[in-house]
Amino acid sequence: MSLCLRTALIGSLSAHLGLSKSRLETLSTLLIGLIHGRTVNLTHIASHCHGSACHASKYRRLQRFFQYVRLDQAVIAAIVVRMLKLSRPKCLALDRTNWKLGRKDINVLVLAIVTRRFRVPLLWSVLSHPGNSNTHQRIALLQRYLALFEPSSIDLLLADREFIGADWMRFLVESRVPFAIRVRQDLVMALTDGSAWSIATLLRTKRARHAIHTLDLLLPDSRLPVRLAAKRLAGGEWLIVVTNSPEPRRALQTYRRRWGIECLFGDAKTRGLNLEDTHLTDPAKIDTLTAVLTLAMTWIYKSATDSMGMKAIARKTHGRRRKSWFRTGFDALRSALINTPDTAAALWSESCPKRLRSP
């Protein structure tokens, strides 16, 4: 592993994470090995540790890192925002990613930034149970975000049909968090006159495809005002979002960006860093691994920005991009790590903040 790479990573992260030099060296090894080897498996990453120690000793060193080190999510979030210059209002997406290792369920609730170019984790909670998150867990995650950033930093919070509930939406409205959450047709809402109807009944006369229909509604049990925007898709299915935005049509159109978090999970797993290769199952260790993965993805996106500048990625004849922004940065950074480590080191050290302040 190049000395200049280790020096750049250690020097920039030492000001923020409060780790010893030995732990910072291990973290730099994890970041470089994760990207270079395309896996979070510690056996493979151990081969990137410098020194003459045997492979088993290097592997044990990585294990001890996850056993004893906990990275502050607030610091990681601040580094992400500063490195990718995301201080302006941005869309956030809320979703879960889960997998199994033997009989053990690993379930992570993720709040991610999704922009036209970037999709990167910001804050997360490792759940102690399989299946959906509950209202308390969602509120706790958003409260952690609001302790770091103003509500005005959110353009829209996007979430799928799993993330519904009167108490949850009431919290978002009262916290002034703009949101667009997809809902089911059988959800019962109240009209402004107080009468309760299912959404399917309210939309029964709306026939036109591709037209956006809007309604003013009240949250059940609270009478807080929200708006509904719906559009019938080509296959006949309804796309319905509930929002507190004054522009429900725009909220419905922006909802398509929610797919960015699904792409993020693909980038973190089979299309990129192979997160499911890990044999870690302890929630605290998964938390640390997610923080390392977030730093690696931030470096990858910074590489994509450096490679492409203001240019757009070319499209194929069917209209889709030849590569994702993630894949563009991933390929460029892996090449730099092998062929021009000075370039990779400069890319990190020049973009990582020297000191953190409130975004």
Side-chain angles (χ1 to χ4, degrees), residues 10 14 17 25 42-43 51 65 123 159-160 165 190 220 234 256 260 282 301 314 322 324 334 345 359:
I10 292 170
S14 62
L17 298 179
E25 287 180 351
L42 299 185
T43 301
F65 181 88
L123 296 168
D160 205 357
R256 71 182 68 182
D282 180 78
Y301 279 119
R322 292 184 180 275
S324 68
R334 291 182 72 210

Side-chain angles (χ1 to χ4, degrees), residues 73 93-99 106-112 121-129 131-144 157-160 162-163 168 261 264-265 275 283 286-287 290 294:
Q73 288 190 33
L94 184 66
D95 206 351
R96 289 183 306 111
T97 183
N98 59 281
W99 66 94
I106 301 171
N107 197 11
V108 187
L109 179 65
V110 179
L111 182 67
L122 195 63
L123 296 168
W124 55 90
S125 295
V126 183
L127 306 182
S128 59
H129 57 82
N132 295 354
S133 61
N134 58 44
T135 298
H136 172 75
Q137 290 164 337
R138 300 167 198 166
I139 290 176
L141 185 58
L142 260 294
Q143 285 176 331
R144 285 164 52 200
L157 172 66
L158 311 174
D160 205 357
E162 173 186 330
F163 299 93
W168 161 240
I261 196 169
L264 183 157
F265 294 151
L275 177 59
I286 293 295
D287 185 285
T290 306
T294 299

Side-chain angles (χ1 to χ4, degrees), residues 28-52:
S28 67
T29 299
L30 284 165
L31 287 171
I32 295 167
L34 173 61
I35 296 168
H36 184 272
R38 288 195 59 189
T39 181
V40 299
N41 188 287
L42 299 185
T43 301
H44 295 295
I45 295 177
S47 63
H48 293 271
C49 292
H50 74 287
S52 58

Side-chain angles (χ1 to χ4, degrees), residues 167-178:
D167 292 338
W168 161 240
M169 292 186 184
R170 184 184 309 116
F171 164 77
L172 295 177
V173 172
E174 292 175 348
S175 300
R176 297 180 290 111
V177 173

Side-chain angles (χ1 to χ4, degrees), residues 24 59 66 97 153 164 177 187 212 227 245 282 306:
L24 288 168
Y59 176 64
F66 286 99
T97 183
S153 67
I164 59 173
V177 173
L187 186 68
I212 297 177
R227 306 193 75 181
S245 169
D282 180 78
D306 183 71

Side-chain angles (χ1 to χ4, degrees), residues 103-121:
R103 296 183 178 181
K104 182 70 174 181
D105 288 281
I106 301 171
N107 197 11
V108 187
L109 179 65
V110 179
L111 182 67
I113 294 173
V114 287
T115 69
R116 185 172 60 87
R117 292 184 171 185
F118 306 134
R119 47 213 189 203
V120 61

